[in-house]
Amino acid sequence: MDFEDAGSDIVSVVVTAEQIAEGLARMAREIEADLSGKRPLMVGVLKGAVMVMADLARELTIDVEMDWMAVSSYGRSTKSSGVVRILKDLDSSLEGRHVLIVEDIVDSGVTLSWLLENFASRGAASIRVASLLRKPDAMSVDVPIDYLGFDIPNEFVVGYGLDFAERYRNLKGVGVLNPSVYSDGA
Ligand code: PRP
């Protein structure tokens, strides 16, 4: 889905599909430099990270494995409380593995902070983080991101995995959602 297909639902473009591809290529070169020969385990955080995982993994020139984790906070309003629960755990052991957590966005930082703490007890050789997007002005927890695509403004963005009520994940780029979409219950 392109921005024009979304009509007036997208009020401004934040990151284009071309910029995403460039960002992922830059991140991939950095990851290769650090993890070549280590067969990292990429851990995608469902559902938003599906697009990043698919494109970043294919951009990499090194051998990787992939696994998936699904987590949920107890509702948006309580997200800053840091209450996160596992909906789907990893299939793989992290023992001795070089782990690369793959995220679409770090917003408050709560999810990533919790994941890093959770993974730290599982015996990984190393844990790194790749996120396509970060909202510096929204972060309530300071979390390290080793490979970052873009810092973006603290606005309600959708696309490339990011949703509003499960919609717009399939937009090729990332854009600001028209407030009318979420204020009129559409
Ligand atoms: C999004 C995103 C991150 C998290 C970041 O997931 O994919 O996992 O929020 O937010 P935080 O930094 O404030 O914790 P979401 O919970 O919306 O689920 P989804 O990926 O299934 O859309």
Side-chain angles (χ1 to χ4, degrees):
M1 186 182 192
D2 293 307
F3 289 118
E4 51 263 38
D5 299 317
S8 61
D9 286 0
I10 301 298
V11 292
S12 63
V13 174
V14 176
V15 191
T16 65
E18 292 72 24
Q19 288 171 323
I20 290 172
E22 289 166 11
L24 292 179
R26 171 168 45 80
M27 292 161 70
R29 303 293 88 79
E30 295 168 2
I31 292 165
E32 289 158 4
D34 292 343
L35 290 168
S36 178
K38 295 182 171 158
R39 196 158 34 86
L41 178 66
M42 299 177 76
V43 173
V45 185
L46 295 167
K47 304 173 189 169
V50 166
M51 308 295 180
V52 182
M53 185 80 148
D55 287 341
L56 180 61
R58 284 182 293 183
E59 177 64 29
L60 286 167
T61 59
I62 61 173
D63 189 20
V64 299
E65 293 179 25
M66 292 184 224
D67 203 343
W68 300 92
M69 185 107 176
V71 296
S72 173
S73 58
Y74 288 101
R76 277 278 162 204
S77 57
T78 58
K79 204 156 197 178
S80 59
S81 69
V83 181
V84 176
R85 66 193 166 109
I86 297 175
L87 301 179
K88 182 220 169 289
D89 207 346
L90 300 170
D91 295 327
S92 333
S93 163
L94 299 189
E95 191 69 41
R97 299 303 306 267
H98 293 278
V99 176
L100 180 63
I101 297 173
V102 177
E103 269 286 23
D104 50 336
I105 189 165
V106 177
D107 199 321
S108 69
V110 166
T111 304
L112 183 55
S113 168
W114 184 90
L115 275 175
L116 286 167
E117 197 172 314
N118 182 279
F119 284 7
S121 63
R122 302 196 195 194
S126 67
I127 304 174
R128 292 176 172 81
V129 176
S131 182
L132 178 69
L133 305 171
R134 172 174 64 183
K135 284 183 179 174
D137 296 339
M139 286 179 75
S140 62
V141 188
D142 191 25
V143 278
I145 300 176
D146 302 277
Y147 313 102
L148 176 67
F150 306 93
D151 275 328
I152 62 168
N154 188 12
E155 297 185 87
F156 197 144
V157 293
V158 295
Y160 201 72
L162 292 155
D163 74 310
F164 164 66
E166 300 300 329
R167 298 170 61 194
Y168 311 104
R169 289 195 199 272
N170 61 324
L171 261 179
K172 292 177 186 171
V174 175
V176 176
L177 188 63
N178 191 331
S180 68
V181 177
Y182 49 84
S183 58
D184 66 6

